[in-house]
Amino acid sequence: MRATMWGILALLAGCAGPGTELQVPIPPHQGVAGAFAGAPPGVVSVAAFPEAGGTGVLPGAIGERSTIGDISMGQVRIAPSPARLLQDAVVADLIASGWNVLPGGPAPVELAGTVGRFALRTDATALYWDVTLDAGLGVRLVAGGRQAARDFAAHCQERTYVWPGSEIIARVVAQCVDELARDVRQDAALAQALGTP
């Protein structure tokens, strides 16, 4: 009973906050060498990743914070945008693997990515919020006569007993970015298209 009372008080404290937009800065992904390092390093062109979004969707908007009853308490926007975050993460891993990266244009190796989903929700109960992000990234790589296209997905979640602020949201977003980057750099089909033995 006492725990339920504290949960209700925490929820009311969250509800008392302003229902305004929350801007969340996301730290950059630290590059890690992966399967890409097995290929002879060269030059790879990485075009800007497009991001799926509807008309009127603000740049960096990934969802809303909500209370019990799914009442919105304001939109959440991240900076950089999901597309830029994921592109920068893939580029950082390529550089860590010894590749020289060009910002688009013709090159011996060309990599393109598309952000398919990047959706945040804050499911609320009487005691806690589950901060959840579902993210998806499609990657296509062309190297000479070889090519590979792969789709990746990440589901990241953290529970909090206080109103979900920018710190926990940044951690959940960074976790999904790191997971997607790991899946890309460890993918055998992409590595083979790059020319790894």
Side-chain angles (χ1 to χ4, degrees):
M1 177 70 178
R2 190 170 188 170
T4 303
M5 179 66 87
W6 283 112
I8 291 170
L9 289 173
L11 192 64
L12 291 174
C15 293
T20 59
E21 178 180 281
L22 178 66
Q23 301 263 352
V24 182
I26 309 299
H29 167 81
Q30 299 301 309
V32 179
F36 295 160
V43 178
V44 58
S45 168
V46 179
F49 288 11
E51 186 176 335
T55 304
V57 175
L58 295 172
I62 61 170
E64 296 177 326
R65 293 187 293 175
S66 59
T67 62
I68 290 179
D70 203 27
I71 298 168
S72 174
M73 295 301 290
Q75 194 171 58
V76 175
R77 292 176 66 189
I78 60 172
S81 69
R84 188 56 193 256
L85 270 175
L86 290 170
Q87 179 185 346
D88 288 350
V90 170
V91 166
D93 286 352
L94 283 165
I95 292 171
S97 298
W99 289 82
N100 294 313
V101 178
L102 298 177
V109 178
E110 295 182 1
L111 186 144
T114 303
V115 180
R117 180 171 170 77
F118 210 92
L120 176 86
R121 65 181 192 275
T122 57
D123 300 326
T125 72
L127 294 177
Y128 57 81
W129 284 265
D130 281 332
V131 179
T132 305
L133 181 72
D134 289 302
L137 175 65
V139 174
R140 184 170 184 272
L141 190 140
V142 178
R146 302 178 304 273
Q147 61 180 330
R150 305 285 286 151
D151 291 317
F152 304 95
H155 174 85
C156 306
Q157 185 176 80
E158 186 174 334
R159 181 164 291 176
T160 179
Y161 293 88
V162 296
W163 178 238
S166 60
E167 190 174 306
I168 188 172
I169 291 171
R171 281 199 306 270
V172 171
V173 170
Q175 178 189 348
C176 269
V177 169
D178 288 346
E179 285 186 15
L180 289 170
R182 178 203 62 207
D183 292 346
V184 170
R185 72 174 175 265
Q186 292 181 349
D187 187 78
L190 293 175
Q192 188 174 13
L194 269 176
T196 59

